[in-house]
Amino acid sequence: MGAQEQRPAGDEGAVRDGPERVALSPAAAELLRTLTAKHGPLMFHQSGGCCDGSSPMCYGRGEFRTGASDVLLAELEVDGLAEPVPFWMSASQFARWSHTHLTVDVVRGRGSGFSLEAPEGVRFLIRSRLMER
């Protein structure tokens, strides 16, 4: 039984005000279309942990349990997908990266075995820059 995606009550845990915080490269958008066709609606989570902590992990929607220690940074709209792709980050990671704009991109190579793109021979990664005021 897969864990359920949890959205905190109300808008708690969501960063709604201010500039766009997360974007997708064209390659990432294309990969999300491919993965959605195979797995259904998706979500991202980026933890502050070791190993793949700096790589966003892609899961089937509801396959990763989020909670009070997570922040919803974006609902990524992807042309061709009926539903947006939520992008969650652990609150501790967000505390360190709150001043950055993130772009989800794709590169060749293997990432974590838990992220849905691993069998495709590519991995998602984050490119960051300082937020513009």
Side-chain angles (χ1 to χ4, degrees), residues 31-43 58-63 114-120:
L31 182 55
L32 288 172
R33 285 187 283 274
T34 299
L35 293 174
T36 298
K38 291 180 179 182
H39 303 284
L42 304 174
M43 67 181 288
C58 184
Y59 302 100
R61 178 95 44 90
E63 292 297 315
F114 298 114
S115 196
L116 290 176
E117 81 280 3
E120 306 294 322

PDB file of all heavy atoms in Angstrom, residues 31-43 58-63 114-120:
ATOM      1  N   LEU A  31      10.242  14.848 -20.034  1.00  0.00           N
ATOM      2  CA  LEU A  31      10.366  13.639 -19.230  1.00  0.00           C
ATOM      3  C   LEU A  31       9.141  13.454 -18.336  1.00  0.00           C
ATOM      4  O   LEU A  31       8.653  12.336 -18.157  1.00  0.00           O
ATOM      5  CB  LEU A  31      11.653  13.664 -18.406  1.00  0.00           C
ATOM      6  CG  LEU A  31      11.935  12.427 -17.558  1.00  0.00           C
ATOM      7  CD1 LEU A  31      11.937  11.148 -18.384  1.00  0.00           C
ATOM      8  CD2 LEU A  31      13.251  12.597 -16.819  1.00  0.00           C
ATOM      9  N   LEU A  32       8.601  14.535 -17.789  1.00  0.00           N
ATOM     10  CA  LEU A  32       7.395  14.424 -16.967  1.00  0.00           C
ATOM     11  C   LEU A  32       6.202  13.930 -17.779  1.00  0.00           C
ATOM     12  O   LEU A  32       5.399  13.131 -17.286  1.00  0.00           O
ATOM     13  CB  LEU A  32       7.073  15.761 -16.303  1.00  0.00           C
ATOM     14  CG  LEU A  32       8.013  16.159 -15.162  1.00  0.00           C
ATOM     15  CD1 LEU A  32       7.725  17.581 -14.705  1.00  0.00           C
ATOM     16  CD2 LEU A  32       7.904  15.181 -13.999  1.00  0.00           C
ATOM     17  N   ARG A  33       6.108  14.349 -19.048  1.00  0.00           N
ATOM     18  CA  ARG A  33       5.035  13.828 -19.903  1.00  0.00           C
ATOM     19  C   ARG A  33       5.202  12.318 -20.112  1.00  0.00           C
ATOM     20  O   ARG A  33       4.236  11.556 -20.021  1.00  0.00           O
ATOM     21  CB  ARG A  33       5.014  14.567 -21.247  1.00  0.00           C
ATOM     22  CG  ARG A  33       4.424  15.979 -21.142  1.00  0.00           C
ATOM     23  CD  ARG A  33       4.245  16.624 -22.504  1.00  0.00           C
ATOM     24  NE  ARG A  33       5.501  17.113 -23.053  1.00  0.00           N
ATOM     25  CZ  ARG A  33       6.025  18.312 -22.788  1.00  0.00           C
ATOM     26  NH1 ARG A  33       5.409  19.165 -21.997  1.00  0.00           N
ATOM     27  NH2 ARG A  33       7.166  18.673 -23.341  1.00  0.00           N
ATOM     28  N   THR A  34       6.429  11.880 -20.359  1.00  0.00           N
ATOM     29  CA  THR A  34       6.713  10.459 -20.555  1.00  0.00           C
ATOM     30  C   THR A  34       6.398   9.661 -19.292  1.00  0.00           C
ATOM     31  O   THR A  34       5.738   8.614 -19.348  1.00  0.00           O
ATOM     32  CB  THR A  34       8.190  10.256 -20.947  1.00  0.00           C
ATOM     33  OG1 THR A  34       8.438  10.944 -22.167  1.00  0.00           O
ATOM     34  CG2 THR A  34       8.541   8.788 -21.091  1.00  0.00           C
ATOM     35  N   LEU A  35       6.863  10.156 -18.151  1.00  0.00           N
ATOM     36  CA  LEU A  35       6.649   9.439 -16.895  1.00  0.00           C
ATOM     37  C   LEU A  35       5.178   9.416 -16.494  1.00  0.00           C
ATOM     38  O   LEU A  35       4.696   8.415 -15.954  1.00  0.00           O
ATOM     39  CB  LEU A  35       7.502  10.063 -15.778  1.00  0.00           C
ATOM     40  CG  LEU A  35       9.013   9.902 -15.938  1.00  0.00           C
ATOM     41  CD1 LEU A  35       9.747  10.691 -14.855  1.00  0.00           C
ATOM     42  CD2 LEU A  35       9.420   8.435 -15.932  1.00  0.00           C
ATOM     43  N   THR A  36       4.461  10.499 -16.765  1.00  0.00           N
ATOM     44  CA  THR A  36       3.027  10.532 -16.454  1.00  0.00           C
ATOM     45  C   THR A  36       2.277   9.510 -17.296  1.00  0.00           C
ATOM     46  O   THR A  36       1.364   8.835 -16.803  1.00  0.00           O
ATOM     47  CB  THR A  36       2.456  11.945 -16.668  1.00  0.00           C
ATOM     48  OG1 THR A  36       3.114  12.850 -15.766  1.00  0.00           O
ATOM     49  CG2 THR A  36       0.957  11.992 -16.404  1.00  0.00           C
ATOM     50  N   ALA A  37       2.660   9.355 -18.562  1.00  0.00           N
ATOM     51  CA  ALA A  37       2.018   8.352 -19.417  1.00  0.00           C
ATOM     52  C   ALA A  37       2.221   6.945 -18.862  1.00  0.00           C
ATOM     53  O   ALA A  37       1.349   6.087 -18.983  1.00  0.00           O
ATOM     54  CB  ALA A  37       2.560   8.457 -20.844  1.00  0.00           C
ATOM     55  N   LYS A  38       3.368   6.705 -18.219  1.00  0.00           N
ATOM     56  CA  LYS A  38       3.669   5.383 -17.670  1.00  0.00           C
ATOM     57  C   LYS A  38       3.115   5.162 -16.267  1.00  0.00           C
ATOM     58  O   LYS A  38       2.751   4.047 -15.911  1.00  0.00           O
ATOM     59  CB  LYS A  38       5.190   5.172 -17.618  1.00  0.00           C
ATOM     60  CG  LYS A  38       5.842   5.040 -18.957  1.00  0.00           C
ATOM     61  CD  LYS A  38       7.332   4.831 -18.807  1.00  0.00           C
ATOM     62  CE  LYS A  38       7.986   4.671 -20.174  1.00  0.00           C
ATOM     63  NZ  LYS A  38       9.432   4.420 -20.053  1.00  0.00           N
ATOM     64  N   HIS A  39       3.118   6.232 -15.452  1.00  0.00           N
ATOM     65  CA  HIS A  39       2.851   6.077 -14.018  1.00  0.00           C
ATOM     66  C   HIS A  39       1.654   6.847 -13.489  1.00  0.00           C
ATOM     67  O   HIS A  39       1.314   6.718 -12.319  1.00  0.00           O
ATOM     68  CB  HIS A  39       4.087   6.501 -13.216  1.00  0.00           C
ATOM     69  CG  HIS A  39       5.323   5.753 -13.583  1.00  0.00           C
ATOM     70  ND1 HIS A  39       5.569   4.453 -13.196  1.00  0.00           N
ATOM     71  CD2 HIS A  39       6.389   6.116 -14.347  1.00  0.00           C
ATOM     72  CE1 HIS A  39       6.729   4.058 -13.668  1.00  0.00           C
ATOM     73  NE2 HIS A  39       7.252   5.042 -14.382  1.00  0.00           N
ATOM     74  N   GLY A  40       1.044   7.688 -14.313  1.00  0.00           N
ATOM     75  CA  GLY A  40      -0.059   8.516 -13.831  1.00  0.00           C
ATOM     76  C   GLY A  40       0.466   9.806 -13.211  1.00  0.00           C
ATOM     77  O   GLY A  40       1.638  10.159 -13.377  1.00  0.00           O
ATOM     78  N   PRO A  41      -0.395  10.550 -12.490  1.00  0.00           N
ATOM     79  CA  PRO A  41       0.002  11.840 -11.911  1.00  0.00           C
ATOM     80  C   PRO A  41       1.237  11.710 -11.019  1.00  0.00           C
ATOM     81  O   PRO A  41       1.413  10.700 -10.327  1.00  0.00           O
ATOM     82  CB  PRO A  41      -1.224  12.257 -11.091  1.00  0.00           C
ATOM     83  CG  PRO A  41      -2.358  11.544 -11.741  1.00  0.00           C
ATOM     84  CD  PRO A  41      -1.786  10.226 -12.208  1.00  0.00           C
ATOM     85  N   LEU A  42       2.079  12.748 -11.059  1.00  0.00           N
ATOM     86  CA  LEU A  42       3.375  12.717 -10.379  1.00  0.00           C
ATOM     87  C   LEU A  42       3.492  13.804  -9.321  1.00  0.00           C
ATOM     88  O   LEU A  42       2.690  14.737  -9.259  1.00  0.00           O
ATOM     89  CB  LEU A  42       4.490  12.917 -11.408  1.00  0.00           C
ATOM     90  CG  LEU A  42       4.522  11.935 -12.575  1.00  0.00           C
ATOM     91  CD1 LEU A  42       5.579  12.354 -13.582  1.00  0.00           C
ATOM     92  CD2 LEU A  42       4.767  10.515 -12.086  1.00  0.00           C
ATOM     93  N   MET A  43       4.550  13.693  -8.538  1.00  0.00           N
ATOM     94  CA  MET A  43       4.933  14.720  -7.572  1.00  0.00           C
ATOM     95  C   MET A  43       6.449  14.684  -7.415  1.00  0.00           C
ATOM     96  O   MET A  43       7.088  13.671  -7.725  1.00  0.00           O
ATOM     97  CB  MET A  43       4.277  14.465  -6.210  1.00  0.00           C
ATOM     98  CG  MET A  43       4.781  13.197  -5.518  1.00  0.00           C
ATOM     99  SD  MET A  43       4.021  12.840  -3.927  1.00  0.00           S
ATOM    100  CE  MET A  43       4.751  14.090  -2.886  1.00  0.00           C
ATOM    101  N   CYS A  58      11.224  12.064  -7.954  1.00  0.00           N
ATOM    102  CA  CYS A  58       9.935  12.039  -8.635  1.00  0.00           C
ATOM    103  C   CYS A  58       9.205  10.752  -8.252  1.00  0.00           C
ATOM    104  O   CYS A  58       9.764   9.665  -8.384  1.00  0.00           O
ATOM    105  CB  CYS A  58      10.145  12.106 -10.145  1.00  0.00           C
ATOM    106  SG  CYS A  58       8.618  12.195 -11.090  1.00  0.00           S
ATOM    107  N   TYR A  59       7.986  10.911  -7.776  1.00  0.00           N
ATOM    108  CA  TYR A  59       7.168   9.779  -7.344  1.00  0.00           C
ATOM    109  C   TYR A  59       5.806   9.861  -7.993  1.00  0.00           C
ATOM    110  O   TYR A  59       5.362  10.938  -8.397  1.00  0.00           O
ATOM    111  CB  TYR A  59       6.951   9.817  -5.823  1.00  0.00           C
ATOM    112  CG  TYR A  59       8.200   9.800  -5.004  1.00  0.00           C
ATOM    113  CD1 TYR A  59       8.721  10.972  -4.467  1.00  0.00           C
ATOM    114  CD2 TYR A  59       8.864   8.607  -4.751  1.00  0.00           C
ATOM    115  CE1 TYR A  59       9.866  10.958  -3.697  1.00  0.00           C
ATOM    116  CE2 TYR A  59      10.018   8.586  -3.978  1.00  0.00           C
ATOM    117  CZ  TYR A  59      10.512   9.766  -3.455  1.00  0.00           C
ATOM    118  OH  TYR A  59      11.648   9.754  -2.711  1.00  0.00           O
ATOM    119  N   GLY A  60       5.103   8.726  -8.016  1.00  0.00           N
ATOM    120  CA  GLY A  60       3.697   8.767  -8.350  1.00  0.00           C
ATOM    121  C   GLY A  60       2.994   9.586  -7.279  1.00  0.00           C
ATOM    122  O   GLY A  60       3.360   9.508  -6.099  1.00  0.00           O
ATOM    123  N   ARG A  61       2.020  10.397  -7.691  1.00  0.00           N
ATOM    124  CA  ARG A  61       1.305  11.227  -6.727  1.00  0.00           C
ATOM    125  C   ARG A  61       0.766  10.347  -5.610  1.00  0.00           C
ATOM    126  O   ARG A  61       0.117   9.347  -5.859  1.00  0.00           O
ATOM    127  CB  ARG A  61       0.175  11.959  -7.428  1.00  0.00           C
ATOM    128  CG  ARG A  61      -0.689  12.812  -6.557  1.00  0.00           C
ATOM    129  CD  ARG A  61      -0.317  14.278  -6.496  1.00  0.00           C
ATOM    130  NE  ARG A  61       0.015  14.914  -7.740  1.00  0.00           N
ATOM    131  CZ  ARG A  61      -0.835  15.528  -8.545  1.00  0.00           C
ATOM    132  NH1 ARG A  61      -2.108  15.573  -8.257  1.00  0.00           N
ATOM    133  NH2 ARG A  61      -0.399  16.102  -9.634  1.00  0.00           N
ATOM    134  N   GLY A  62       1.083  10.711  -4.371  1.00  0.00           N
ATOM    135  CA  GLY A  62       0.627   9.954  -3.212  1.00  0.00           C
ATOM    136  C   GLY A  62       1.561   8.846  -2.774  1.00  0.00           C
ATOM    137  O   GLY A  62       1.323   8.208  -1.756  1.00  0.00           O
ATOM    138  N   GLU A  63       2.644   8.601  -3.508  1.00  0.00           N
ATOM    139  CA  GLU A  63       3.579   7.546  -3.137  1.00  0.00           C
ATOM    140  C   GLU A  63       4.637   8.015  -2.148  1.00  0.00           C
ATOM    141  O   GLU A  63       5.425   7.211  -1.673  1.00  0.00           O
ATOM    142  CB  GLU A  63       4.249   6.953  -4.371  1.00  0.00           C
ATOM    143  CG  GLU A  63       3.297   6.174  -5.255  1.00  0.00           C
ATOM    144  CD  GLU A  63       2.695   4.955  -4.556  1.00  0.00           C
ATOM    145  OE1 GLU A  63       3.427   4.213  -3.888  1.00  0.00           O
ATOM    146  OE2 GLU A  63       1.467   4.773  -4.675  1.00  0.00           O
ATOM    147  N   PHE A 114      14.965   5.134  -6.291  1.00  0.00           N
ATOM    148  CA  PHE A 114      13.609   5.379  -5.827  1.00  0.00           C
ATOM    149  C   PHE A 114      12.858   6.367  -6.708  1.00  0.00           C
ATOM    150  O   PHE A 114      11.642   6.442  -6.663  1.00  0.00           O
ATOM    151  CB  PHE A 114      13.617   5.906  -4.393  1.00  0.00           C
ATOM    152  CG  PHE A 114      14.202   4.926  -3.418  1.00  0.00           C
ATOM    153  CD1 PHE A 114      15.379   5.199  -2.773  1.00  0.00           C
ATOM    154  CD2 PHE A 114      13.556   3.722  -3.161  1.00  0.00           C
ATOM    155  CE1 PHE A 114      15.916   4.301  -1.874  1.00  0.00           C
ATOM    156  CE2 PHE A 114      14.092   2.806  -2.266  1.00  0.00           C
ATOM    157  CZ  PHE A 114      15.270   3.100  -1.619  1.00  0.00           C
ATOM    158  N   SER A 115      13.555   7.158  -7.480  1.00  0.00           N
ATOM    159  CA  SER A 115      12.918   8.164  -8.320  1.00  0.00           C
ATOM    160  C   SER A 115      12.505   7.523  -9.644  1.00  0.00           C
ATOM    161  O   SER A 115      13.243   6.720 -10.216  1.00  0.00           O
ATOM    162  CB  SER A 115      13.884   9.330  -8.554  1.00  0.00           C
ATOM    163  OG  SER A 115      13.209  10.461  -9.048  1.00  0.00           O
ATOM    164  N   LEU A 116      11.326   7.872 -10.137  1.00  0.00           N
ATOM    165  CA  LEU A 116      10.745   7.192 -11.291  1.00  0.00           C
ATOM    166  C   LEU A 116      11.556   7.284 -12.580  1.00  0.00           C
ATOM    167  O   LEU A 116      11.394   6.454 -13.464  1.00  0.00           O
ATOM    168  CB  LEU A 116       9.326   7.718 -11.557  1.00  0.00           C
ATOM    169  CG  LEU A 116       8.279   7.332 -10.524  1.00  0.00           C
ATOM    170  CD1 LEU A 116       6.948   8.002 -10.855  1.00  0.00           C
ATOM    171  CD2 LEU A 116       8.118   5.828 -10.445  1.00  0.00           C
ATOM    172  N   GLU A 117      12.427   8.283 -12.706  1.00  0.00           N
ATOM    173  CA  GLU A 117      13.188   8.406 -13.951  1.00  0.00           C
ATOM    174  C   GLU A 117      14.404   7.490 -14.001  1.00  0.00           C
ATOM    175  O   GLU A 117      15.019   7.339 -15.055  1.00  0.00           O
ATOM    176  CB  GLU A 117      13.614   9.868 -14.172  1.00  0.00           C
ATOM    177  CG  GLU A 117      14.838  10.322 -13.417  1.00  0.00           C
ATOM    178  CD  GLU A 117      14.596  10.672 -11.955  1.00  0.00           C
ATOM    179  OE1 GLU A 117      13.457  10.516 -11.468  1.00  0.00           O
ATOM    180  OE2 GLU A 117      15.539  11.111 -11.293  1.00  0.00           O
ATOM    181  N   ALA A 118      14.776   6.862 -12.901  1.00  0.00           N
ATOM    182  CA  ALA A 118      16.000   6.049 -12.846  1.00  0.00           C
ATOM    183  C   ALA A 118      16.087   5.005 -13.971  1.00  0.00           C
ATOM    184  O   ALA A 118      17.136   4.884 -14.610  1.00  0.00           O
ATOM    185  CB  ALA A 118      16.142   5.389 -11.477  1.00  0.00           C
ATOM    186  N   PRO A 119      15.029   4.252 -14.270  1.00  0.00           N
ATOM    187  CA  PRO A 119      15.137   3.261 -15.349  1.00  0.00           C
ATOM    188  C   PRO A 119      15.298   3.866 -16.742  1.00  0.00           C
ATOM    189  O   PRO A 119      15.638   3.157 -17.686  1.00  0.00           O
ATOM    190  CB  PRO A 119      13.810   2.491 -15.266  1.00  0.00           C
ATOM    191  CG  PRO A 119      13.280   2.745 -13.905  1.00  0.00           C
ATOM    192  CD  PRO A 119      13.770   4.106 -13.535  1.00  0.00           C
ATOM    193  N   GLU A 120      15.077   5.172 -16.877  1.00  0.00           N
ATOM    194  CA  GLU A 120      15.170   5.832 -18.185  1.00  0.00           C
ATOM    195  C   GLU A 120      16.607   6.194 -18.561  1.00  0.00           C
ATOM    196  O   GLU A 120      16.857   6.703 -19.652  1.00  0.00           O
ATOM    197  CB  GLU A 120      14.316   7.108 -18.194  1.00  0.00           C
ATOM    198  CG  GLU A 120      12.866   6.901 -17.788  1.00  0.00           C
ATOM    199  CD  GLU A 120      12.081   6.054 -18.762  1.00  0.00           C
ATOM    200  OE1 GLU A 120      12.296   6.195 -19.981  1.00  0.00           O
ATOM    201  OE2 GLU A 120      11.252   5.246 -18.307  1.00  0.00           O
TER     202      GLU A 120
END
